[in-house]
Amino acid sequence: MQEQTDPPDEPSPGLVSTAIQAIIQHIRSEGLAPGDPLPSEAAMTRQLNVSRTVVREAFRSLSAMRLIDMSAGRRATVAKLDTGAMSMVIEHGITTQQISVQQVYDVRRTIEMRTVALAALRRTDHEAAAIGRSARLMRENFRNPEAVMEHDIAFHEAIAAASHNPVFSLIVTAFSGVTRRTWVIGWRTRSSDEAQLKMIKGHEDIADAILKGDPRLAAEHMAEHFDKSVKALIDAGIA
Amino acid sequence: MQEQTDPPDEPSPGLVSTAIQAIIQHIRSEGLAPGDPLPSEAAMTRQLNVSRTVVREAFRSLSAMRLIDMSAGRRATVAKLDTGAMSMVIEHGITTQQISVQQVYDVRRTIEMRTVALAALRRTDHEAAAIGRSARLMRENFRNPEAVMEHDIAFHEAIAAASHNPVFSLIVTAFSGVTRRTWVIGWRTRSSDEAQLKMIKGHEDIADAILKGDPRLAAEHMAEHFDKSVKALIDAGIA
DNA sequence: CCTCGAAAACCTGTATGACAGGTTATTATT
DNA sequence: AATAATAACCTGTCATACAGGTTTTCGAGG
C-alpha cells in the first residue's frame, strides 16, 4: 500500500503529522514566500499516498497556526507572520490557570522597555505620529473606557512596530488579548478622573520621548507606566 | 497592506472555526484544567449539529496549537502549556525570511537579561545546581559541538525555568529551534580552542552569579555573552 | 463476595465517495 | 480583440465504513 520513506521503523507519529512535516518541508525546499500557493490537496494526496482526509487535517493544522491561509476554491497560500497562534497559547495558559496575568505583565514590561527604547531610536516620523495619535485619542475619548483601551492597545502595538523588529511586534500583539481581558480592571482602580488622566499623561510622555528620540527617557516613562499598571492590578486582587 | 476582519466583512467564518471556538468556550465555561478530558467527537458532532469531519478538523487544529492532546482511542484532553506552536511560528518567520536571526537574538537578549536576573533572585538550590551542571557539561563535552549546543540550550532553558515565570520559559524555549539552526555557525567563528573555552567560561560565570544570587552580575555576564554571540553571527555574515 | 480476564462498548485514525459552491482557465461569441 | 458563457479545478462539508486503541462491563472461577 504505502511505504516509501520509513526504513527505520518508528512508532508512527501519525499520518497527519507526517503530512504536516511534508508541507513545511515543501515550503522550505521551494523557498516559498508569503502569498505563494501550495500544492492542491489532491496533488498532496497523490504525493504522500494518503487519503484526502489526512492531507486536509494537515492543511487545517497549519492554518490554525497561521502558517498558511486557506479559503474556499483557492489553493492554500503561505501566510504572513501572524500572531493568531501565539495569542491562543497565551490565552489558553491564562484560562487554564497555568500562567497569571501578573506574569504576563512582567514579560510585557521586560519587552516593552526594549521596544520603547528601540522605537525612540528607529521610529520614522510617520510612526512617531501614529504613536502620538493613539495617545491623543486616549485623552479625547477618555469618557469611553472601551475606546481608551483600544487606543491604549494600538499605542503599544505601534511602539512595537516602530522598533522595527517583527518578533517584538509578534509578542506584544499576542499579549493584546490578555490586555483586553484585564485592562478595565486597572482602569477602575483609578477611580478619580485625575488618576485616569494621569495615566493618560503617562502615555503622552512616552510618545513625546519617542518623538524626541530619547530612548532613556522613553524607557523610564514606560517603566513607570508598567509599575503603576501592575500596582493597580495587585490592588484589584489579580493574582 | 492588510485588510480582513474589518467592518462589513465576515460572511462565513466557516464551520470549523465555529467548532474551534465552541471547544475553547467549553474549556473555559467548564473551567477545565490540563489533563481534563474533552467531549468525544461524536458528542461534539451532535451538540454542534455538524459532521464529524468538521469536529475532527477543529480538534486537530487545537492539537496543532498544542492546546489539547489527542491520542488514538482516548478522548482528547486539555494540554499543558507547550511551546510547540510558538516555535513553529518563529521558524516559519525565519524560513520565509520575514524575520532575521539577528532579530531573534535581540529579543532573546532582551528576555534573557531579565530571566537571568530573576533566576538569581528566585532560583532554588536545585535549579542553581541544574544550571551549573549544564555549564559544566558544556566544558566536559567541548570537543563535541553538537553536545555543547544541546547543553547550551538546556542551560538557557534552565535559567528561564528558574525565573519562575512560565511565560519566559515559553518564549525562550520557542527560540531553541532557531538556536539549533544557527548555533554551530557561531561556534565555528570561534576558531581557536581558546575562544571556544572563553565562551564556555562565560556560561560558568553566569551560573556562578545565579548561584551567588547576584542579579546585577548575572545580567552583566549574560549581556556580554549575547553581545559576543551576535558579533559572531555578524562576522559569519548572518543578516 | 472478590478477583481476574475476556467480551462489549466507545473512541479515535484513516479511507472512500459524493456533492455544493467558489475560483480560475478555456472557449465560444460578438 | 473584448467579453460572456462554460468547463475544469479546488476547497468545504457530509455520510459511511472499518481498523485498531481504551475503557467498561460482566461473568466465570476461586
Side-chain angles (χ1 to χ4, degrees):
Chain A
M1 302 316 214
Q2 35 103 186
E3 37 84 24
Q4 24 195 87
T5 55
D6 276 297
D9 190 276
E10 289 185 22
S12 169
L15 299 186
V16 175
S17 302
T18 307
I20 290 176
Q21 286 312 312
I23 297 168
I24 287 181
Q25 186 51 42
H26 176 89
I27 293 175
R28 288 185 190 166
S29 62
E30 300 288 307
L32 298 188
D36 290 348
L38 275 63
S40 72
E41 292 173 3
M44 209 47 107
T45 289
R46 283 190 298 275
Q47 182 192 322
L48 299 179
N49 203 39
V50 295
S51 71
R52 179 148 86 105
T53 307
V54 169
V55 172
R56 254 195 88 70
E57 288 189 13
F59 271 98
R60 188 64 84 169
S61 293
L62 293 172
S63 169
M65 289 184 282
R66 305 293 196 96
L67 269 41
I68 67 175
D69 289 322
M70 296 174 75
S71 74
R74 268 198 291 268
R75 308 233 297 254
T77 59
V78 176
K80 282 196 316 191
L81 216 45
D82 182 285
T83 247
M86 220 177 272
S87 199
M88 298 275 278
V89 172
I90 300 295
E91 296 249 356
H92 178 253
I94 294 217
T95 63
T96 58
Q97 319 220 347
Q98 300 186 72
I99 58 185
S100 71
V101 172
Q102 218 183 310
Q103 288 171 329
V104 169
Y105 267 73
D106 190 11
V107 176
R108 277 193 62 191
R109 187 194 142 114
T110 301
I111 288 178
E112 300 209 30
M113 291 277 291
R114 175 75 173 156
T115 57
V116 78
L118 288 176
L121 294 171
R122 323 213 266 224
R123 95 287 185 290
T124 64
D125 290 347
H126 187 269
E127 286 162 347
I131 294 166
R133 193 179 322 122
S134 287
R136 186 165 5 94
L137 284 169
M138 284 177 72
R139 181 178 292 278
E140 286 174 13
N141 290 276
F142 120 96
R143 289 287 172 200
N144 177 355
E146 186 108 349
V148 177
M149 175 182 78
E150 287 305 330
H151 292 303
D152 186 2
I153 290 172
F155 176 84
H156 289 277
E157 290 185 2
I159 290 173
S163 78
H164 291 205
N165 184 333
V167 186
F168 281 124
S169 282
L170 210 58
I171 297 175
V172 168
T173 306
F175 290 147
S176 294
V178 178
T179 303
R180 281 201 180 77
R181 292 178 158 224
T182 58
W183 189 92
V184 76
I185 295 169
W187 185 253
R188 287 217 194 93
T189 64
R190 296 175 169 93
S191 44
S192 68
D193 281 11
E194 187 192 1
Q196 293 173 345
L197 284 170
K198 200 147 101 187
M199 179 265 214
I200 288 175
K201 175 69 161 51
H203 284 73
E204 290 164 341
D205 289 342
I206 294 171
D208 285 345
I210 291 173
L211 182 64
K212 274 192 283 189
D214 185 337
R216 200 160 321 227
L217 183 62
E220 240 166 67
H221 285 306
M222 182 63 87
E224 203 178 324
H225 169 44
F226 267 102
D227 290 342
K228 282 185 183 157
S229 293
V230 170
K231 182 170 183 309
L233 284 175
I234 292 174
D235 287 348
I238 299 293
Chain B
M1 220 52 87
Q2 41 145 109
E3 84 291 336
Q4 64 197 59
T5 72
D6 278 82
D9 181 25
E10 48 172 323
S12 155
L15 299 186
V16 175
S17 303
T18 308
I20 290 176
Q21 287 310 313
I23 297 167
I24 288 181
Q25 186 51 42
H26 176 90
I27 294 176
R28 289 188 190 163
S29 62
E30 300 288 308
L32 298 189
D36 290 348
L38 276 64
S40 72
E41 293 173 3
M44 210 45 106
T45 290
R46 282 190 299 275
Q47 183 191 322
L48 299 178
N49 205 41
V50 294
S51 71
R52 179 149 87 107
T53 307
V54 169
V55 172
R56 254 195 88 69
E57 288 188 13
F59 271 98
R60 189 63 87 167
S61 293
L62 293 172
S63 169
M65 290 184 283
R66 306 295 197 94
L67 268 43
I68 66 174
D69 291 322
M70 296 175 74
S71 72
R74 269 197 292 265
R75 309 233 299 251
T77 58
V78 175
K80 282 196 318 191
L81 215 46
D82 181 286
T83 250
M86 220 177 269
S87 200
M88 298 276 279
V89 172
I90 299 294
E91 296 248 357
H92 179 253
I94 293 216
T95 63
T96 58
Q97 319 219 342
Q98 300 185 72
I99 58 183
S100 70
V101 172
Q102 219 183 310
Q103 288 171 330
V104 170
Y105 268 73
D106 191 10
V107 176
R108 276 193 61 191
R109 187 195 142 110
T110 302
I111 288 177
E112 300 209 29
M113 291 275 294
R114 176 72 173 158
T115 56
V116 79
L118 288 176
L121 294 170
R122 324 213 264 222
R123 96 287 185 289
T124 63
D125 290 346
H126 187 270
E127 286 162 345
I131 294 167
R133 193 179 321 123
S134 287
R136 186 163 7 93
L137 285 168
M138 284 177 74
R139 181 179 292 278
E140 286 173 13
N141 290 276
F142 122 95
R143 289 288 173 199
N144 179 357
E146 186 107 351
V148 178
M149 176 181 78
E150 287 306 330
H151 292 303
D152 186 2
I153 290 172
F155 176 84
H156 289 277
E157 290 184 2
I159 290 173
S163 79
H164 291 205
N165 183 333
V167 186
F168 281 125
S169 281
L170 209 58
I171 298 175
V172 168
T173 306
F175 289 147
S176 295
V178 177
T179 303
R180 282 201 180 78
R181 293 177 156 224
T182 58
W183 189 92
V184 76
I185 295 168
W187 184 253
R188 287 216 195 91
T189 65
R190 297 175 169 93
S191 43
S192 68
D193 281 10
E194 187 192 2
Q196 292 172 346
L197 283 171
K198 201 147 99 187
M199 180 266 213
I200 288 175
K201 176 67 161 51
H203 284 73
E204 290 165 341
D205 289 341
I206 293 170
D208 284 346
I210 291 172
L211 183 62
K212 273 191 284 188
D214 184 336
R216 198 159 323 226
L217 183 61
E220 240 167 66
H221 285 306
M222 183 63 88
E224 202 178 324
H225 169 45
F226 267 102
D227 290 343
K228 283 184 183 160
S229 294
V230 169
K231 182 169 183 310
L233 284 174
I234 291 174
D235 287 349
I238 299 293

